[in-house]
């Protein structure tokens, strides 16, 4: 299905890969598969996906910080961009991701940190603009 979707809608498909300890999770994160996130991401890249959203499900919604190291490893293994997800908690996470942007990190998903008031979105945008200048 995904390969067909990439053929039909080239340049418009982004895939989310949810993982814990390098293994892909499915079914609302209730099942860990035997698939390595790195292997599946490479396969999907070959299909023609435009980018990968990588979520460390052990951190998602916990405000414990992005798993920058695992996100960078995935980005380095791919030629398509990676969007970080899971655990964003502060401007420091934004700063750390900006420091590794050149590795292929294109963005970050902000959720609970904004809702809870832990992250000021406007301040985050200003920081990114400042670090990109």
């Amino acid at each position: 299905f995904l390969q067909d979707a990439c053929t039909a809608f080239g340049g418009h498909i982004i895939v989310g890969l949810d993982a814990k300890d390098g293994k892909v999770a499915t079914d609302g994160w209730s099942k860990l598969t035997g698939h390595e996130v790195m292997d599946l991401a490479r396969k999907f890249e070959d299909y023609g996906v435009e980018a990968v959203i990588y979520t460390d499900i052990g951190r998602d919604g916990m405000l414990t910080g992005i798993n920058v190291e695992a996100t960078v490893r995935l980005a380095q293994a791919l030629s398509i961009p990676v969007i970080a997800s899971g655990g964003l908690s502060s401007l420091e996470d934004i700063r750390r991701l900006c420091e590794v942007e050149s590795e292929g990190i294109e963005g970050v998903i902000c959720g609970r940190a904004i809702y809870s008031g832990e992250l000021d979105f406007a301040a985050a945008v200003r920081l990114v603009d400042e670090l990109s200048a």
Side-chain angles (χ1 to χ4, degrees):
F1 171 79
L2 181 59
Q3 193 169 20
D4 290 343
C6 288
T7 299
F9 304 104
H12 298 284
I13 305 294
I14 296 176
V15 170
L17 288 175
D18 303 332
K20 184 172 184 180
D21 300 325
K23 300 288 186 189
V24 174
T26 62
D27 298 310
W29 302 347
S30 65
K31 296 179 185 170
L32 283 180
T33 70
H35 298 286
E36 293 286 336
V37 70
M38 203 78 69
D39 295 339
L40 205 50
R42 285 187 188 116
K43 182 176 188 174
F44 293 164
E45 178 180 39
D46 289 344
Y47 287 174
V49 300
E50 190 69 15
V52 170
I53 298 171
Y54 171 68
T55 303
D56 180 331
I57 64 170
R59 296 179 184 225
D60 193 55
M62 305 304 290
L63 301 173
T64 57
I66 293 285
N67 187 340
V68 175
E69 295 77 20
T71 305
V72 166
R73 279 194 306 274
L74 180 61
Q76 290 171 335
L78 303 173
S79 61
I80 56 175
V82 172
I83 299 167
S85 179
L88 183 81
S89 63
S90 67
L91 287 176
E92 183 56 30
D93 288 329
I94 301 291
R95 182 181 310 281
R96 288 181 66 214
L97 287 168
C98 286
E99 290 171 356
V100 294
E101 178 184 8
S102 64
E103 299 293 341
I105 310 296
E106 185 165 286
V108 63
I109 305 290
C110 302
R112 186 172 181 184
I114 292 174
Y115 307 139
S116 69
E118 299 288 325
L119 180 72
D120 178 331
F121 184 74
V125 171
R126 283 192 302 272
L127 178 61
V128 169
D129 288 345
E130 175 186 308
L131 294 174
S132 298

